[in-house]
Amino acid sequence: MAITNVIEIPVTKQNYPFSSAARYGVLDNTGYTEKEYFLHGTANVYQTQADGSISIRFADAPYINRIIVRAPEDSAKCSGNTVVEIINPTASFEIERMWILSHRKLLRDGDIYVGITSKPNTIAKLLEFNAERYGALSWANPTPEQPLPYTAEDIQANPDILLDQDIAYETGLFWDMLRDLPSLLRSDRTDNPLADYFRQNIILTGWSQSAAYLIRYLNVFAYMNDEELPCYDGYLAAGPPRHITIPINQYEQLSCIGQSTPLIKEVRQPCIILQTESENGHMDAYKLRRPDGSEENFLCRHYDITGASHDTKYSLIDYYRNDPDMIRIGILPEYNGIHEFPNNYPLEIPMAAAFRNLFYWINSGVAPSVCDPIKVDCHGDNCKDVLGNSIGGVRTCLLDVPSGSYHSYSLIRENEPLSREGCNVSGYNIVFGHEEPFSPDMLRQMYGSLENYETLARRHTQEQVAKGFVIREDAPKLVQIAVELAKSRGLE
């Protein structure tokens, strides 16, 4: 297994990467470049033994995969930190959710971003987007003569099955791709995309299904050979859905149905887990919380981000800015709730703090603060205060100096089809929440004036900066968001 060749794919005005940050204007005036590369290599396909251990099912299967790299044009301005994202494949197209939520921090600090395609089901949309550009991508199944051990009836009877399997490809090739990538990025190879940059730390991150991939990687592959040097220097798993377990290969898909994403057994490098109210209350994450650890074999912090839902208006809708390419291939995300205000909690602010804290932890050995989890009742539902916001977790002034309440679900329109993640349950979208503004009269009774509200919001934010849950550079933006919301809801 190895990455044998790395080829840069040229970018022009007519021929550019899918979901290009440069085209969205995100990189304007930042001094960053965006480049795309194809990785040619070989990977083993593994299988699970009866005792839970793994063995090689097929060795050295060839593949061609892609990565997207965003880095300072001037290598001297690089921080030395590299973030590798397992690009989310759940909606059958590439969602760079961790980039979406953290790019302001990465660009501000001079960090490098590397996104890697994590599942071959997304190749179909890449081809629809630009067949000429992506036609060479290949995750070919090395054993196509062996049928998948489940049928269409099995899939219909198991709604939790990941509906993106195909005998023509093999999802299990990804584990060695993920293990080999940091070796490439640390190397002195001339085809290393980061060869000219200072590379001090490489961390692995992922959102939702990709976070479940990260947890599976940690539990099975990270220490399988007990390497002297770690593949990655740290980990950030965000929004892991605990109702699914990632199979080692696609032939084992059915055997994973009904299994929860397991607890992290061991992590020798600093690791942060973030989850929103959606995972905590609707995806059983509250049942699978291990106490924070600072031991040699369990360096982990777990944070519930109160107020946020799995999807938010910014991260799922606004970032894509009505991209005509996404409209053309029929994948522009939409909100399917009946509420006037979709959840737009600024999850990117605590996310930026988590990245900053993780890198500091790696470099200094000093772990970040701990935080109480969101309080849940006997049914596993998040407990609410008298104003309708959940109790506990990482908090901002939007919750403790509120002008409205935040919810992790939305009621959906009658006969609405399944959401993009298959998470509509009995008339609810459990991954995209909503907000309920307070009335102008209520706001006046609570705060008196907008000026007083701003004073309270600023004071609370300063406290969160001191705790490390808000980066100092983000404090003015957070206060601005809070004040503008209160003003728009009638406070003067």
Side-chain angles (χ1 to χ4, degrees):
M1 62 178 193
I3 296 172
T4 56
N5 197 17
V6 182
I7 299 176
E8 182 177 351
I9 309 303
V11 175
T12 68
K13 288 185 178 181
Q14 291 74 37
N15 189 359
Y16 44 82
F18 176 79
S19 187
S20 166
R23 287 189 63 252
Y24 295 157
V26 173
L27 303 183
D28 290 352
N29 303 314
T30 63
Y32 266 66
T33 63
E34 178 179 67
K35 297 181 180 181
E36 188 172 37
Y37 300 84
F38 284 3
L39 307 181
H40 296 244
T42 59
N44 297 333
V45 178
Y46 298 92
Q47 61 187 356
T48 306
Q49 304 288 77
D51 63 358
S53 64
I54 63 168
S55 62
I56 296 175
R57 182 174 184 270
F58 190 97
D60 296 326
Y63 69 82
I64 303 175
N65 197 21
R66 71 181 280 267
I67 59 173
I68 190 82
V69 177
R70 300 174 183 126
E73 187 171 6
D74 181 355
S75 60
K77 296 182 179 179
C78 175
S79 67
N81 297 327
T82 297
V83 173
V84 173
E85 176 176 8
I86 303 170
I87 298 176
N88 185 280
T90 303
S92 293
F93 71 94
E94 309 269 81
I95 297 180
E96 302 169 349
R97 178 61 63 84
M98 296 304 286
W99 164 260
I100 294 171
L101 290 172
S102 64
H103 69 267
R104 293 190 182 101
K105 182 271 175 200
L106 303 182
L107 297 172
R108 182 172 58 209
D109 287 358
D111 301 336
I112 296 172
Y113 170 87
V114 178
I116 181 171
T117 291
S118 63
K119 209 170 186 180
N121 66 304
T122 63
I123 294 177
K125 280 300 180 184
L126 290 175
L127 292 174
E128 190 176 345
F129 166 71
N130 190 330
E132 180 180 358
R133 186 174 187 86
Y134 294 113
L137 294 176
S138 173
W139 293 46
N141 183 0
T143 58
E145 71 284 354
Q146 298 182 23
L148 297 173
Y150 44 87
T151 65
E153 289 75 21
D154 292 324
I155 294 175
Q156 187 173 6
N158 293 280
D160 285 339
I161 197 169
L162 298 172
L163 303 177
D164 48 22
Q165 314 304 311
D166 191 314
I167 194 68
Y169 57 63
E170 174 51 70
T171 60
L173 294 169
F174 184 61
W175 306 113
D176 279 349
M177 298 181 196
L178 200 59
R179 295 178 68 217
D180 290 338
L181 180 58
S183 296
L184 167 69
L185 299 179
R186 295 184 199 278
S187 74
D188 295 326
R189 290 171 47 167
T190 57
D191 61 355
N192 176 5
L194 307 186
D196 295 333
Y197 292 91
F198 172 47
R199 290 150 284 156
Q200 181 179 19
N201 303 306
I202 300 177
I203 70 165
L204 183 65
T205 190
W207 175 266
S208 191
Q209 183 182 166
S210 296
Y213 263 89
L214 187 154
I215 293 173
R216 185 70 145 167
Y217 170 83
L218 268 175
N219 283 340
V220 178
F221 296 99
Y223 310 113
M224 64 183 297
N225 296 328
D226 203 26
E227 291 101 336
E228 181 178 349
L229 294 175
C231 288
Y232 296 94
D233 299 294
Y235 302 90
L236 199 160
R242 303 308 179 100
H243 63 298
I244 64 171
T245 290
I246 304 302
I248 296 296
N249 64 64
Q250 67 173 351
Y251 287 84
E252 297 182 9
Q253 171 67 58
L254 198 60
S255 66
C256 288
I257 295 302
Q259 297 183 22
S260 295
T261 299
L263 292 167
I264 294 175
K265 302 173 186 175
E266 177 182 17
V267 56
R268 303 175 194 172
Q269 292 75 44
C271 175
I272 290 178
I273 302 173
L274 299 181
Q275 63 185 33
T276 72
E277 292 195 34
S278 296
E279 298 88 59
N280 190 65
H282 301 297
M283 300 183 190
D284 292 339
Y286 72 95
K287 298 178 181 177
L288 294 168
R289 182 179 181 122
R290 182 174 170 180
D292 293 325
S294 299
E295 301 83 20
E296 180 180 356
N297 290 330
F298 191 69
L299 300 172
C300 193
R301 290 288 183 270
H302 185 127
Y303 301 107
D304 295 342
I305 309 301
T306 313
S309 57
H310 192 80
D311 291 332
T312 63
K313 182 174 178 288
Y314 167 70
S315 65
L316 186 64
I317 298 174
D318 292 350
Y319 177 83
Y320 295 107
R321 305 182 187 188
N322 291 318
D323 184 346
D325 289 323
M326 286 195 165
I327 294 173
R328 173 174 58 83
I329 61 177
I331 57 172
L332 190 69
E334 297 179 346
Y335 172 65
N336 68 351
I338 65 173
H339 309 277
E340 182 178 359
F341 300 102
N343 186 303
N344 202 29
Y345 192 84
L347 178 57
E348 58 273 19
I349 289 179
M351 184 72 72
F355 273 107
R356 180 76 66 83
N357 291 339
L358 180 60
F359 283 122
Y360 184 77
W361 190 2
I362 294 168
N363 291 324
S364 70
V366 178
S369 303
V370 298
C371 183
D372 291 335
I374 293 175
K375 185 178 179 180
V376 296
D377 62 20
C378 60
H379 304 291
D381 294 324
N382 296 330
C383 295
K384 300 283 187 176
D385 62 24
V386 294
L387 295 175
N389 288 307
S390 293
I391 300 170
V394 175
R395 310 181 69 77
T396 69
C397 58
L398 296 172
L399 301 167
D400 290 345
V401 191
S403 63
S405 58
Y406 291 86
H407 304 272
S408 61
Y409 67 90
S410 293
L411 298 173
I412 60 173
R413 295 180 289 270
E414 187 176 357
N415 299 321
E416 181 75 16
L418 285 178
S419 70
R420 64 183 189 85
E421 292 184 324
C423 289
N424 291 351
V425 178
S426 302
Y428 291 84
N429 180 337
I430 64 172
V431 296
F432 201 153
H434 69 283
E435 302 176 16
E436 295 180 359
F438 297 158
S439 70
D441 284 344
M442 183 174 177
L443 291 173
R444 281 192 293 271
Q445 291 178 33
M446 292 174 66
Y447 304 114
S449 68
L450 189 64
E451 181 180 5
N452 183 52
Y453 178 87
E454 181 172 355
T455 298
L456 296 173
R458 195 177 303 281
R459 183 181 304 159
H460 185 279
T461 301
Q462 290 172 348
E463 295 172 356
Q464 297 309 104
V465 169
K467 294 177 181 178
F469 297 135
V470 174
I471 293 177
R472 188 173 303 279
E473 298 94 314
D474 286 335
K477 179 64 176 179
L478 177 58
V479 173
Q480 179 185 5
I481 290 171
V483 170
E484 288 180 353
L485 269 177
K487 184 177 181 180
S488 71
R489 292 167 176 174
L491 185 61
E492 300 176 348

